[in-house]
């Protein structure tokens, strides 16, 4: 059964009739350990490099599919998001020596596990053709190590399943507008995963903050005030924490807009690469 990030407990026998309160109660189990937030600069570089490796595989496969080469891998954004979620959680619980070959196996193993959860075939031979030398047996062993470190909690609770709930609180009537808000909030959430400062916030808080920012962009002042007030009043959220998370997302979006303007001015063909994600994450951490 394919895992759905927007409905993580669906078809899970222990949660056949789960409620939104169960999502809020369980979300902390799917976050990096708190001790991972106080990392040295070298640890930050190591983690960013691992994320860059995952994104590099995604971008390479996109390139392959674009030019219609014989093999392909249907990686969607949710697979990458899930893989990075596994990576952050694993690296917060398991010390990893700073060796590139080991880092590569951890990153690809997280991507492999995420692909399996989404019922997408990820061929190691295809990855090797793209210049990443891996041994299938080593990847399999690493998958088992990752599964053990995460206590086999692979049905990750991310910000995505909370979006519908927070949208319902605002009681918007326009379905098209609701879809536009959800799409924009989802885009913000995808980008927010690359910001190390946001790791300390619960998925529900990130979802509410992303939706608030999306509503700030797309709604009238009155509609935005209503949605923000409904989120702030939610019994599952802390108002001060929500405000701090919102400010971080606001800064993140502004920085991305500024970088986009610079890149557009520099080159018509400028696109985001795994290295640009890495550089931005390091820059934000220093700030």
């Amino acid at each position: 059964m394919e895992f759905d990030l927007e409905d993580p407990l669906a078809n899970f026998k222990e949660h056949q009739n789960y409620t939104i309160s169960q999502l809020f109660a369980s979300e902390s189990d799917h976050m990096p350990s708190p001790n991972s937030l106080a990392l040295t600069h070298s640890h930050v570089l190591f983690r960013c490099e691992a994320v860059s490796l995952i994104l590099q595989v995604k971008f390479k496969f996109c390139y392959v599919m674009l030019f219609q080469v014989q093999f392909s891998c249907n990686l969607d954004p949710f697979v990458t998001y899930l893989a990075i979620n596994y990576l952050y959680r694993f690296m917060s619980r398991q010390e990893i020596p700073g060796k590139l070959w080991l880092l590569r196996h951890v990153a690809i193993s997280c991507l492999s596990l995420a692909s399996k959860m989404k019922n997408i075939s990820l061929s190691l031979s295809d990855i090797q053709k793209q210049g990443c030398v891996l041994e299938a047996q080593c990847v399999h062993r690493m998958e088992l190590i990752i599964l053990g470190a995460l206590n086999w909690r692979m049905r990750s609770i991310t910000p995505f399943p909370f979006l519908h709930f927070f949208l319902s609180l605002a009681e918007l009537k326009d379905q098209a507008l609701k879809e536009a808000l959800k799409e924009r909030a989802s885009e913000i959430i995808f980008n927010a995963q690359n910001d190390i400062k946001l790791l300390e916030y619960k998925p529900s808080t990130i979802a509410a903050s992303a939706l608030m920012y999306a509503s700030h962009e797309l709604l009238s002042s009155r509609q935005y005030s209503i949605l923000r007030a409904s989120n702030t009043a939610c019994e599952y959220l802390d108002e001060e924490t929500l405000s701090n998370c919102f400010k971080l997302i606001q800064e993140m979006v502004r920085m991305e807009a500024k970088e986009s303007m610079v890149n557009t001015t520099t080159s018509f063909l400028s696109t985001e690469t795994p290295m640009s994600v890495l550089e931005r994450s390091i820059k934000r951490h220093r700030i």
Side-chain angles (χ1 to χ4, degrees):
M1 184 68 68
E2 180 180 336
F3 172 59
D4 183 359
L5 264 74
E6 296 185 351
D7 198 6
L9 300 183
N11 302 313
F12 194 36
K13 63 181 180 180
E14 295 179 7
H15 299 279
Q16 286 294 326
N17 298 306
Y18 74 92
T19 62
I20 190 67
S21 61
Q22 287 177 288
L23 278 177
F24 281 100
S26 303
E27 61 177 333
S28 295
D29 294 331
H30 301 262
M31 294 174 59
S33 299
N35 60 4
S36 68
L37 301 176
L39 296 177
T40 63
H41 183 63
S42 60
H43 281 98
V44 173
L45 286 174
F46 194 58
R47 184 161 56 188
C48 288
E49 180 64 22
V51 172
S52 180
L53 282 170
I54 292 175
L55 294 175
Q56 189 175 15
V57 171
K58 174 188 174 183
F59 275 84
K60 281 183 177 178
F61 275 119
C62 286
Y63 178 86
V64 167
M65 289 189 290
L66 179 63
F67 288 93
Q68 299 180 336
V69 181
Q70 292 293 322
F71 55 90
S72 65
C73 177
N74 297 318
L75 290 181
D76 64 40
F78 285 109
V79 171
T80 306
Y81 193 95
L82 189 59
I84 295 175
N85 174 271
Y86 293 160
L87 177 72
Y88 283 155
R89 290 163 58 197
F90 175 70
M91 294 184 73
S92 73
R93 292 169 171 82
Q94 182 78 40
E95 184 69 25
I96 304 175
K99 299 178 180 179
L100 183 59
W101 67 267
L102 183 57
L103 178 70
R104 183 178 291 116
H105 276 79
V106 171
I108 299 304
S109 296
C110 287
L111 191 57
S112 176
L113 287 169
S115 298
K116 290 174 181 177
M117 291 294 290
K118 294 289 291 177
N119 281 348
I120 293 175
S121 176
L122 179 68
S123 171
L124 292 182
S125 62
D126 287 350
I127 295 177
Q128 288 172 334
K129 290 176 185 177
Q130 294 300 307
C132 188
V133 180
L134 299 165
E135 294 183 12
Q137 188 175 7
C138 291
V139 171
H140 179 65
R141 281 202 295 262
M142 183 58 69
E143 286 179 350
L144 293 176
I145 293 173
I146 293 170
L147 288 168
L150 302 187
N151 295 319
W152 291 76
R153 291 191 176 107
M154 311 310 289
R155 304 179 71 85
S156 294
I157 296 177
T158 65
F160 298 105
F162 296 99
L163 289 178
H164 178 74
F165 170 72
F166 289 124
L167 273 171
S168 67
L169 296 181
E171 299 182 350
L172 293 173
K173 305 298 183 183
D174 190 332
Q175 188 61 35
L177 184 56
K178 288 171 67 175
E179 287 299 320
L181 282 171
K182 182 181 176 183
E183 182 177 344
R184 176 56 179 145
S186 296
E187 181 184 2
I188 293 171
I189 290 169
F190 278 120
N191 294 335
Q193 194 181 34
N194 299 320
D195 197 319
I196 295 174
K197 292 182 181 179
L198 285 164
L199 290 181
E200 65 180 280
Y201 294 99
K202 293 181 179 180
S204 57
T205 302
I206 294 174
S209 300
L211 191 58
M212 282 165 50
Y213 192 88
S215 67
H216 176 70
E217 290 181 330
L218 302 178
L219 300 183
S220 65
S221 298
R222 179 177 176 277
Q223 289 174 314
Y224 166 70
S225 297
I226 293 174
L227 188 143
R228 181 171 185 128
S230 65
N231 285 358
T232 303
C234 177
E235 61 179 308
Y236 299 108
L237 299 176
D238 176 75
E239 184 174 354
E240 183 178 355
T241 303
L242 180 62
S243 177
N244 291 336
C245 185
F246 177 82
K247 290 176 183 177
L248 272 179
I249 284 181
Q250 188 176 46
E251 179 61 28
M252 179 198 77
V253 175
R254 287 176 177 173
M255 183 176 292
E256 286 173 349
K258 183 177 179 181
E259 290 174 352
S260 178
M261 290 179 63
V262 171
N263 290 338
T264 301
T265 303
T266 303
S267 172
F268 289 111
L269 302 177
S270 178
T271 57
E272 185 178 66
T273 65
M275 186 55 66
S276 67
V277 172
L278 171 63
E279 292 172 348
R280 184 167 65 250
S281 296
I282 296 171
K283 186 189 300 183
R284 285 179 185 151
H285 183 76
R286 288 175 176 170
I287 293 174

